[in-house]
Short mmCIF file of all heavy atoms in Angstrom, two decimals:
data_model
loop_
_atom_site.label_atom_id
_atom_site.label_comp_id
_atom_site.label_asym_id
_atom_site.label_seq_id
_atom_site.Cartn_x
_atom_site.Cartn_y
_atom_site.Cartn_z
N ASP A 65 -7.72 -104.83 -43.17
CA ASP A 65 -7.21 -104.94 -44.54
C ASP A 65 -7.88 -103.91 -45.44
O ASP A 65 -7.22 -103.23 -46.23
CB ASP A 65 -7.43 -106.36 -45.06
CG ASP A 65 -6.83 -106.55 -46.44
OD1 ASP A 65 -5.66 -106.17 -46.65
OD2 ASP A 65 -7.55 -107.09 -47.33
N LEU A 66 -9.19 -103.80 -45.32
CA LEU A 66 -9.94 -102.82 -46.11
C LEU A 66 -9.47 -101.39 -45.77
O LEU A 66 -9.25 -100.57 -46.68
CB LEU A 66 -11.44 -102.94 -45.85
CG LEU A 66 -12.32 -101.87 -46.50
CD1 LEU A 66 -12.20 -101.89 -48.02
CD2 LEU A 66 -13.76 -102.04 -46.06
N GLN A 67 -9.32 -101.11 -44.50
CA GLN A 67 -8.88 -99.78 -44.08
C GLN A 67 -7.50 -99.45 -44.66
O GLN A 67 -7.27 -98.33 -45.14
CB GLN A 67 -8.85 -99.68 -42.54
CG GLN A 67 -8.47 -98.33 -42.00
CD GLN A 67 -9.49 -97.25 -42.34
OE1 GLN A 67 -10.67 -97.52 -42.44
NE2 GLN A 67 -9.02 -96.03 -42.54
N GLN A 68 -6.62 -100.44 -44.65
CA GLN A 68 -5.28 -100.23 -45.20
C GLN A 68 -5.33 -99.97 -46.71
O GLN A 68 -4.66 -99.07 -47.21
CB GLN A 68 -4.38 -101.43 -44.89
CG GLN A 68 -2.93 -101.23 -45.29
CD GLN A 68 -2.28 -100.07 -44.55
OE1 GLN A 68 -2.38 -99.97 -43.34
NE2 GLN A 68 -1.64 -99.18 -45.29
N LYS A 69 -6.14 -100.76 -47.42
CA LYS A 69 -6.30 -100.55 -48.87
C LYS A 69 -6.84 -99.14 -49.15
O LYS A 69 -6.40 -98.47 -50.08
CB LYS A 69 -7.25 -101.60 -49.47
CG LYS A 69 -6.63 -102.94 -49.67
CD LYS A 69 -7.61 -103.91 -50.31
CE LYS A 69 -6.96 -105.26 -50.44
NZ LYS A 69 -7.81 -106.24 -51.09
N TYR A 70 -7.80 -98.74 -48.36
CA TYR A 70 -8.41 -97.42 -48.57
C TYR A 70 -7.39 -96.31 -48.32
O TYR A 70 -7.29 -95.35 -49.10
CB TYR A 70 -9.62 -97.25 -47.67
CG TYR A 70 -10.30 -95.91 -47.83
CD1 TYR A 70 -11.08 -95.65 -48.96
CD2 TYR A 70 -10.15 -94.91 -46.88
CE1 TYR A 70 -11.69 -94.42 -49.13
CE2 TYR A 70 -10.76 -93.69 -47.04
CZ TYR A 70 -11.53 -93.44 -48.16
OH TYR A 70 -12.13 -92.22 -48.33
N GLU A 71 -6.64 -96.42 -47.23
CA GLU A 71 -5.63 -95.40 -46.92
C GLU A 71 -4.55 -95.34 -48.00
O GLU A 71 -4.13 -94.25 -48.39
CB GLU A 71 -5.01 -95.67 -45.55
CG GLU A 71 -5.96 -95.39 -44.39
CD GLU A 71 -5.42 -95.80 -43.04
OE1 GLU A 71 -4.23 -96.24 -42.95
OE2 GLU A 71 -6.18 -95.69 -42.07
N ASP A 72 -4.10 -96.51 -48.46
CA ASP A 72 -3.10 -96.55 -49.54
C ASP A 72 -3.66 -95.88 -50.80
O ASP A 72 -2.96 -95.10 -51.46
CB ASP A 72 -2.69 -97.99 -49.85
CG ASP A 72 -1.85 -98.61 -48.76
OD1 ASP A 72 -1.39 -97.88 -47.86
OD2 ASP A 72 -1.69 -99.87 -48.77
N TYR A 73 -4.88 -96.22 -51.11
CA TYR A 73 -5.51 -95.64 -52.30
C TYR A 73 -5.62 -94.13 -52.17
O TYR A 73 -5.28 -93.40 -53.11
CB TYR A 73 -6.90 -96.26 -52.50
CG TYR A 73 -7.74 -95.52 -53.51
CD1 TYR A 73 -7.48 -95.61 -54.87
CD2 TYR A 73 -8.77 -94.68 -53.09
CE1 TYR A 73 -8.23 -94.89 -55.79
CE2 TYR A 73 -9.53 -93.97 -54.00
CZ TYR A 73 -9.26 -94.08 -55.35
OH TYR A 73 -10.00 -93.37 -56.26
N MET A 74 -6.08 -93.64 -51.03
CA MET A 74 -6.27 -92.20 -50.84
C MET A 74 -4.94 -91.44 -50.91
O MET A 74 -4.89 -90.32 -51.43
CB MET A 74 -6.97 -91.91 -49.50
CG MET A 74 -8.43 -92.34 -49.47
SD MET A 74 -9.43 -91.63 -50.79
CE MET A 74 -9.57 -89.95 -50.24
N SER A 75 -3.89 -92.07 -50.41
CA SER A 75 -2.60 -91.38 -50.44
C SER A 75 -2.01 -91.30 -51.86
O SER A 75 -1.21 -90.43 -52.14
CB SER A 75 -1.60 -92.07 -49.49
OG SER A 75 -1.25 -93.33 -49.99
N GLN A 76 -2.41 -92.22 -52.74
CA GLN A 76 -1.86 -92.26 -54.11
C GLN A 76 -2.87 -91.85 -55.17
O GLN A 76 -2.51 -91.75 -56.35
CB GLN A 76 -1.40 -93.69 -54.44
CG GLN A 76 -0.38 -94.25 -53.50
CD GLN A 76 -0.17 -95.75 -53.77
OE1 GLN A 76 -0.73 -96.31 -54.70
NE2 GLN A 76 0.65 -96.38 -52.93
N ARG A 77 -4.09 -91.65 -54.81
CA ARG A 77 -5.18 -91.46 -55.76
C ARG A 77 -4.88 -90.43 -56.84
O ARG A 77 -5.09 -90.68 -58.03
CB ARG A 77 -6.46 -91.08 -55.01
CG ARG A 77 -7.65 -90.83 -55.92
CD ARG A 77 -8.88 -90.50 -55.15
NE ARG A 77 -8.69 -89.22 -54.47
CZ ARG A 77 -9.62 -88.59 -53.77
NH1 ARG A 77 -10.79 -89.13 -53.65
NH2 ARG A 77 -9.37 -87.44 -53.20
N ASP A 78 -4.39 -89.28 -56.47
CA ASP A 78 -4.18 -88.21 -57.44
C ASP A 78 -3.04 -88.52 -58.42
O ASP A 78 -3.03 -88.00 -59.54
CB ASP A 78 -3.89 -86.88 -56.72
CG ASP A 78 -5.11 -86.42 -55.92
OD1 ASP A 78 -6.25 -86.80 -56.31
OD2 ASP A 78 -4.93 -85.70 -54.93
N SER A 79 -2.11 -89.36 -58.01
CA SER A 79 -0.96 -89.65 -58.88
C SER A 79 -1.14 -90.93 -59.72
O SER A 79 -0.29 -91.24 -60.54
CB SER A 79 0.31 -89.77 -58.04
OG SER A 79 0.21 -90.88 -57.17
N LEU A 80 -2.24 -91.64 -59.52
CA LEU A 80 -2.45 -92.90 -60.24
C LEU A 80 -3.10 -92.67 -61.60
O LEU A 80 -3.98 -91.82 -61.74
CB LEU A 80 -3.35 -93.84 -59.42
CG LEU A 80 -2.79 -94.35 -58.10
CD1 LEU A 80 -3.86 -95.13 -57.34
CD2 LEU A 80 -1.56 -95.21 -58.33
N PRO A 81 -2.69 -93.46 -62.58
CA PRO A 81 -3.38 -93.41 -63.87
C PRO A 81 -4.84 -93.90 -63.70
O PRO A 81 -5.15 -94.65 -62.78
CB PRO A 81 -2.60 -94.38 -64.76
CG PRO A 81 -1.30 -94.61 -64.06
CD PRO A 81 -1.52 -94.34 -62.62
N GLU A 82 -5.70 -93.48 -64.58
CA GLU A 82 -7.14 -93.75 -64.47
C GLU A 82 -7.43 -95.25 -64.34
O GLU A 82 -8.26 -95.64 -63.52
CB GLU A 82 -7.87 -93.17 -65.69
CG GLU A 82 -9.36 -93.32 -65.65
CD GLU A 82 -10.02 -92.59 -64.48
OE1 GLU A 82 -9.54 -91.52 -64.08
OE2 GLU A 82 -11.02 -93.12 -63.97
N LEU A 83 -6.78 -96.09 -65.14
CA LEU A 83 -7.04 -97.53 -65.11
C LEU A 83 -6.67 -98.14 -63.76
O LEU A 83 -7.43 -98.94 -63.20
CB LEU A 83 -6.28 -98.23 -66.24
CG LEU A 83 -6.47 -99.74 -66.33
CD1 LEU A 83 -7.94 -100.08 -66.56
CD2 LEU A 83 -5.61 -100.32 -67.45
N ILE A 84 -5.53 -97.76 -63.21
CA ILE A 84 -5.09 -98.29 -61.90
C ILE A 84 -6.02 -97.78 -60.80
O ILE A 84 -6.41 -98.53 -59.90
CB ILE A 84 -3.62 -97.92 -61.62
CG1 ILE A 84 -2.71 -98.64 -62.63
CG2 ILE A 84 -3.23 -98.30 -60.20
CD1 ILE A 84 -1.26 -98.25 -62.55
N ARG A 85 -6.40 -96.50 -60.89
CA ARG A 85 -7.31 -95.92 -59.91
C ARG A 85 -8.64 -96.66 -59.93
O ARG A 85 -9.18 -97.04 -58.87
CB ARG A 85 -7.50 -94.42 -60.15
CG ARG A 85 -8.29 -93.78 -59.03
CD ARG A 85 -8.26 -92.28 -59.05
NE ARG A 85 -8.79 -91.77 -60.32
CZ ARG A 85 -8.51 -90.60 -60.82
NH1 ARG A 85 -7.72 -89.78 -60.17
NH2 ARG A 85 -9.01 -90.22 -61.97
N ALA A 86 -9.18 -96.92 -61.09
CA ALA A 86 -10.45 -97.63 -61.22
C ALA A 86 -10.33 -99.07 -60.68
O ALA A 86 -11.24 -99.57 -60.02
CB ALA A 86 -10.90 -97.66 -62.67
N THR A 87 -9.18 -99.70 -60.94
CA THR A 87 -8.94 -101.06 -60.43
C THR A 87 -8.90 -101.08 -58.92
O THR A 87 -9.50 -101.95 -58.27
CB THR A 87 -7.63 -101.62 -61.02
OG1 THR A 87 -7.71 -101.60 -62.44
CG2 THR A 87 -7.37 -103.02 -60.54
N LYS A 88 -8.22 -100.13 -58.31
CA LYS A 88 -8.12 -100.06 -56.85
C LYS A 88 -9.48 -99.75 -56.23
O LYS A 88 -9.84 -100.29 -55.18
CB LYS A 88 -7.07 -99.04 -56.43
CG LYS A 88 -5.66 -99.49 -56.73
CD LYS A 88 -4.64 -98.65 -55.99
CE LYS A 88 -3.25 -99.15 -56.24
NZ LYS A 88 -2.91 -100.33 -55.45
N GLU A 89 -10.26 -98.89 -56.86
CA GLU A 89 -11.61 -98.58 -56.36
C GLU A 89 -12.48 -99.83 -56.39
O GLU A 89 -13.24 -100.10 -55.46
CB GLU A 89 -12.25 -97.46 -57.19
CG GLU A 89 -11.62 -96.10 -56.93
CD GLU A 89 -12.10 -95.01 -57.87
OE1 GLU A 89 -12.92 -95.30 -58.78
OE2 GLU A 89 -11.66 -93.86 -57.71
N LYS A 90 -12.33 -100.61 -57.45
CA LYS A 90 -13.09 -101.86 -57.57
C LYS A 90 -12.67 -102.84 -56.48
O LYS A 90 -13.51 -103.53 -55.89
CB LYS A 90 -12.87 -102.46 -58.97
CG LYS A 90 -13.55 -103.78 -59.19
CD LYS A 90 -15.04 -103.60 -59.43
CE LYS A 90 -15.65 -104.91 -59.90
NZ LYS A 90 -16.61 -105.44 -58.97
N GLU A 91 -11.36 -102.91 -56.20
CA GLU A 91 -10.86 -103.79 -55.14
C GLU A 91 -11.46 -103.39 -53.79
O GLU A 91 -11.84 -104.26 -53.00
CB GLU A 91 -9.33 -103.72 -55.06
CG GLU A 91 -8.61 -104.44 -56.16
CD GLU A 91 -7.09 -104.25 -56.07
OE1 GLU A 91 -6.59 -103.68 -55.08
OE2 GLU A 91 -6.41 -104.68 -57.02
N ILE A 92 -11.54 -102.10 -53.53
CA ILE A 92 -12.10 -101.59 -52.27
C ILE A 92 -13.59 -101.95 -52.18
O ILE A 92 -14.06 -102.42 -51.14
CB ILE A 92 -11.85 -100.08 -52.12
CG1 ILE A 92 -10.35 -99.82 -51.91
CG2 ILE A 92 -12.67 -99.50 -50.98
CD1 ILE A 92 -9.95 -98.36 -51.98
N GLN A 93 -14.31 -101.74 -53.27
CA GLN A 93 -15.74 -102.09 -53.28
C GLN A 93 -15.94 -103.59 -53.07
O GLN A 93 -16.84 -104.01 -52.33
CB GLN A 93 -16.40 -101.66 -54.60
CG GLN A 93 -16.55 -100.17 -54.74
CD GLN A 93 -17.05 -99.78 -56.13
OE1 GLN A 93 -17.14 -100.61 -57.03
NE2 GLN A 93 -17.38 -98.50 -56.29
N ASP A 94 -15.13 -104.39 -53.72
CA ASP A 94 -15.23 -105.85 -53.57
C ASP A 94 -14.95 -106.27 -52.13
O ASP A 94 -15.62 -107.15 -51.58
CB ASP A 94 -14.26 -106.56 -54.51
CG ASP A 94 -14.68 -106.47 -55.98
OD1 ASP A 94 -15.83 -106.07 -56.25
OD2 ASP A 94 -13.82 -106.78 -56.85
N ALA A 95 -13.94 -105.63 -51.51
CA ALA A 95 -13.61 -105.94 -50.12
C ALA A 95 -14.78 -105.56 -49.20
O ALA A 95 -15.10 -106.31 -48.26
CB ALA A 95 -12.34 -105.21 -49.71
N GLN A 96 -15.43 -104.43 -49.47
CA GLN A 96 -16.60 -104.04 -48.67
C GLN A 96 -17.72 -105.06 -48.81
O GLN A 96 -18.36 -105.43 -47.82
CB GLN A 96 -17.09 -102.65 -49.10
CG GLN A 96 -16.19 -101.53 -48.68
CD GLN A 96 -16.61 -100.18 -49.26
OE1 GLN A 96 -17.14 -100.10 -50.37
NE2 GLN A 96 -16.37 -99.11 -48.51
N GLN A 97 -17.95 -105.52 -50.01
CA GLN A 97 -18.99 -106.52 -50.25
C GLN A 97 -18.67 -107.84 -49.57
O GLN A 97 -19.55 -108.50 -49.02
CB GLN A 97 -19.21 -106.73 -51.75
CG GLN A 97 -19.90 -105.55 -52.43
CD GLN A 97 -20.02 -105.72 -53.94
OE1 GLN A 97 -19.41 -106.61 -54.53
NE2 GLN A 97 -20.83 -104.86 -54.55
N ARG A 98 -17.38 -108.23 -49.59
CA ARG A 98 -16.98 -109.46 -48.90
C ARG A 98 -17.22 -109.35 -47.40
O ARG A 98 -17.67 -110.30 -46.77
CB ARG A 98 -15.50 -109.78 -49.19
CG ARG A 98 -15.25 -110.46 -50.51
CD ARG A 98 -13.84 -111.05 -50.61
NE ARG A 98 -12.78 -110.08 -50.37
CZ ARG A 98 -12.27 -109.27 -51.29
NH1 ARG A 98 -12.75 -109.27 -52.52
NH2 ARG A 98 -11.30 -108.44 -51.00
N ILE A 99 -16.95 -108.18 -46.86
CA ILE A 99 -17.17 -107.96 -45.42
C ILE A 99 -18.66 -108.06 -45.09
O ILE A 99 -19.05 -108.71 -44.12
CB ILE A 99 -16.58 -106.61 -44.96
CG1 ILE A 99 -15.05 -106.69 -44.94
CG2 ILE A 99 -17.12 -106.21 -43.59
CD1 ILE A 99 -14.36 -105.37 -44.68
N GLN A 100 -19.49 -107.45 -45.92
CA GLN A 100 -20.93 -107.52 -45.70
C GLN A 100 -21.43 -108.96 -45.80
O GLN A 100 -22.23 -109.42 -44.98
CB GLN A 100 -21.68 -106.63 -46.69
CG GLN A 100 -21.51 -105.15 -46.41
CD GLN A 100 -22.14 -104.27 -47.49
OE1 GLN A 100 -22.52 -104.74 -48.55
NE2 GLN A 100 -22.23 -102.97 -47.20
N SER A 101 -20.97 -109.68 -46.80
CA SER A 101 -21.36 -111.08 -46.96
C SER A 101 -20.88 -111.91 -45.77
O SER A 101 -21.61 -112.77 -45.26
CB SER A 101 -20.78 -111.67 -48.24
OG SER A 101 -21.35 -111.07 -49.37
N TYR A 102 -19.66 -111.65 -45.34
CA TYR A 102 -19.11 -112.37 -44.21
C TYR A 102 -19.94 -112.12 -42.95
O TYR A 102 -20.22 -113.06 -42.19
CB TYR A 102 -17.65 -111.98 -43.97
CG TYR A 102 -17.04 -112.67 -42.78
CD1 TYR A 102 -16.56 -113.97 -42.89
CD2 TYR A 102 -16.97 -112.04 -41.55
CE1 TYR A 102 -16.02 -114.62 -41.79
CE2 TYR A 102 -16.43 -112.69 -40.45
CZ TYR A 102 -15.96 -113.97 -40.58
OH TYR A 102 -15.44 -114.62 -39.49
N GLN A 103 -20.33 -110.87 -42.73
CA GLN A 103 -21.14 -110.55 -41.56
C GLN A 103 -22.46 -111.32 -41.56
O GLN A 103 -22.87 -111.86 -40.54
CB GLN A 103 -21.42 -109.04 -41.48
CG GLN A 103 -20.23 -108.22 -41.08
CD GLN A 103 -20.49 -106.73 -41.17
OE1 GLN A 103 -21.13 -106.25 -42.10
NE2 GLN A 103 -19.97 -105.98 -40.20
N GLN A 104 -23.10 -111.38 -42.72
CA GLN A 104 -24.36 -112.11 -42.84
C GLN A 104 -24.16 -113.61 -42.60
O GLN A 104 -24.91 -114.24 -41.85
CB GLN A 104 -25.00 -111.88 -44.20
CG GLN A 104 -25.51 -110.48 -44.40
CD GLN A 104 -25.97 -110.21 -45.82
OE1 GLN A 104 -25.73 -111.02 -46.72
NE2 GLN A 104 -26.62 -109.08 -46.03
N MET A 105 -23.13 -114.17 -43.21
CA MET A 105 -22.86 -115.60 -43.03
C MET A 105 -22.47 -115.91 -41.59
O MET A 105 -22.85 -116.95 -41.05
CB MET A 105 -21.78 -116.07 -44.01
CG MET A 105 -22.26 -116.11 -45.45
SD MET A 105 -21.09 -116.85 -46.62
CE MET A 105 -19.63 -115.86 -46.39
N ALA A 106 -21.71 -115.01 -40.98
CA ALA A 106 -21.29 -115.22 -39.59
C ALA A 106 -22.51 -115.22 -38.67
O ALA A 106 -22.61 -116.06 -37.76
CB ALA A 106 -20.30 -114.14 -39.17
N GLN A 107 -23.43 -114.30 -38.90
CA GLN A 107 -24.64 -114.24 -38.08
C GLN A 107 -25.47 -115.51 -38.24
O GLN A 107 -25.95 -116.07 -37.27
CB GLN A 107 -25.47 -113.00 -38.44
CG GLN A 107 -26.66 -112.79 -37.53
CD GLN A 107 -26.26 -112.58 -36.09
OE1 GLN A 107 -25.30 -111.90 -35.78
NE2 GLN A 107 -26.99 -113.20 -35.19
N GLN A 108 -25.61 -115.97 -39.48
CA GLN A 108 -26.35 -117.21 -39.73
C GLN A 108 -25.66 -118.40 -39.07
O GLN A 108 -26.31 -119.25 -38.46
CB GLN A 108 -26.48 -117.46 -41.23
CG GLN A 108 -27.43 -116.52 -41.93
CD GLN A 108 -27.41 -116.70 -43.45
OE1 GLN A 108 -26.55 -117.38 -43.99
NE2 GLN A 108 -28.36 -116.06 -44.13
N SER A 109 -24.36 -118.45 -39.19
CA SER A 109 -23.60 -119.53 -38.59
C SER A 109 -23.75 -119.55 -37.08
O SER A 109 -23.93 -120.61 -36.47
CB SER A 109 -22.12 -119.39 -38.97
OG SER A 109 -21.33 -120.34 -38.30
N LEU A 110 -23.69 -118.38 -36.48
CA LEU A 110 -23.84 -118.28 -35.03
C LEU A 110 -25.25 -118.68 -34.59
O LEU A 110 -25.41 -119.37 -33.58
CB LEU A 110 -23.52 -116.84 -34.59
CG LEU A 110 -22.94 -116.63 -33.23
CD1 LEU A 110 -21.72 -117.49 -32.99
CD2 LEU A 110 -22.59 -115.17 -33.02
N SER A 111 -26.25 -118.29 -35.34
CA SER A 111 -27.63 -118.67 -35.02
C SER A 111 -27.81 -120.18 -35.12
O SER A 111 -28.46 -120.80 -34.27
CB SER A 111 -28.61 -117.98 -35.96
OG SER A 111 -28.63 -116.60 -35.73
N GLN A 112 -27.24 -120.78 -36.16
CA GLN A 112 -27.33 -122.23 -36.32
C GLN A 112 -26.61 -122.95 -35.18
O GLN A 112 -27.10 -123.96 -34.67
CB GLN A 112 -26.75 -122.66 -37.66
CG GLN A 112 -27.61 -122.28 -38.84
CD GLN A 112 -26.92 -122.54 -40.18
OE1 GLN A 112 -25.72 -122.79 -40.25
NE2 GLN A 112 -27.70 -122.46 -41.26
N LYS A 113 -25.48 -122.44 -34.80
CA LYS A 113 -24.71 -123.05 -33.70
C LYS A 113 -25.50 -122.95 -32.40
O LYS A 113 -25.54 -123.91 -31.62
CB LYS A 113 -23.35 -122.35 -33.58
CG LYS A 113 -22.44 -122.93 -32.54
CD LYS A 113 -21.88 -124.25 -33.01
CE LYS A 113 -20.75 -124.70 -32.12
NZ LYS A 113 -20.21 -125.98 -32.53
N GLU A 114 -26.12 -121.80 -32.17
CA GLU A 114 -26.92 -121.62 -30.96
C GLU A 114 -28.08 -122.62 -30.94
O GLU A 114 -28.34 -123.26 -29.92
CB GLU A 114 -27.45 -120.19 -30.88
CG GLU A 114 -28.28 -119.92 -29.65
CD GLU A 114 -28.74 -118.48 -29.57
OE1 GLU A 114 -29.03 -117.88 -30.63
OE2 GLU A 114 -28.85 -117.97 -28.45
N GLN A 115 -28.75 -122.75 -32.06
CA GLN A 115 -29.87 -123.69 -32.13
C GLN A 115 -29.37 -125.13 -31.92
O GLN A 115 -29.99 -125.90 -31.19
CB GLN A 115 -30.57 -123.57 -33.48
CG GLN A 115 -31.81 -124.44 -33.58
CD GLN A 115 -32.56 -124.22 -34.88
OE1 GLN A 115 -32.16 -123.45 -35.73
NE2 GLN A 115 -33.67 -124.91 -35.02
N GLN A 116 -28.25 -125.46 -32.52
CA GLN A 116 -27.67 -126.80 -32.38
C GLN A 116 -27.34 -127.10 -30.92
O GLN A 116 -27.57 -128.21 -30.44
CB GLN A 116 -26.41 -126.90 -33.25
CG GLN A 116 -25.63 -128.18 -33.09
CD GLN A 116 -24.26 -128.10 -33.75
OE1 GLN A 116 -23.90 -127.11 -34.37
NE2 GLN A 116 -23.49 -129.14 -33.60
N LEU A 117 -26.81 -126.12 -30.21
CA LEU A 117 -26.42 -126.32 -28.82
C LEU A 117 -27.61 -126.30 -27.86
O LEU A 117 -27.63 -127.05 -26.88
CB LEU A 117 -25.40 -125.25 -28.39
CG LEU A 117 -24.02 -125.33 -29.05
CD1 LEU A 117 -23.20 -124.10 -28.71
CD2 LEU A 117 -23.30 -126.60 -28.64
#
Side-chain angles (χ1 to χ4, degrees):
D65 184 48
L66 173 61
Q67 182 65 32
Q68 186 61 49
K69 283 182 182 182
Y70 180 74
E71 288 173 5
D72 289 347
Y73 167 74
M74 290 304 287
S75 69
Q76 302 171 4
R77 179 178 66 175
D78 295 334
S79 65
L80 294 173
E82 183 63 34
L83 180 60
I84 294 174
R85 187 167 58 203
T87 302
K88 290 195 177 282
E89 288 172 358
K90 177 77 170 116
E91 286 176 7
I92 291 170
Q93 289 173 352
D94 289 347
Q96 288 173 327
Q97 289 175 348
R98 279 194 305 276
I99 288 172
Q100 288 174 349
S101 293
Y102 178 81
Q103 287 173 320
Q104 291 172 350
M105 289 187 304
Q107 186 61 41
Q108 289 173 350
S109 174
L110 210 52
S111 292
Q112 289 172 347
K113 183 73 168 179
E114 181 178 34
Q115 185 175 2
Q116 174 192 357
L117 292 171

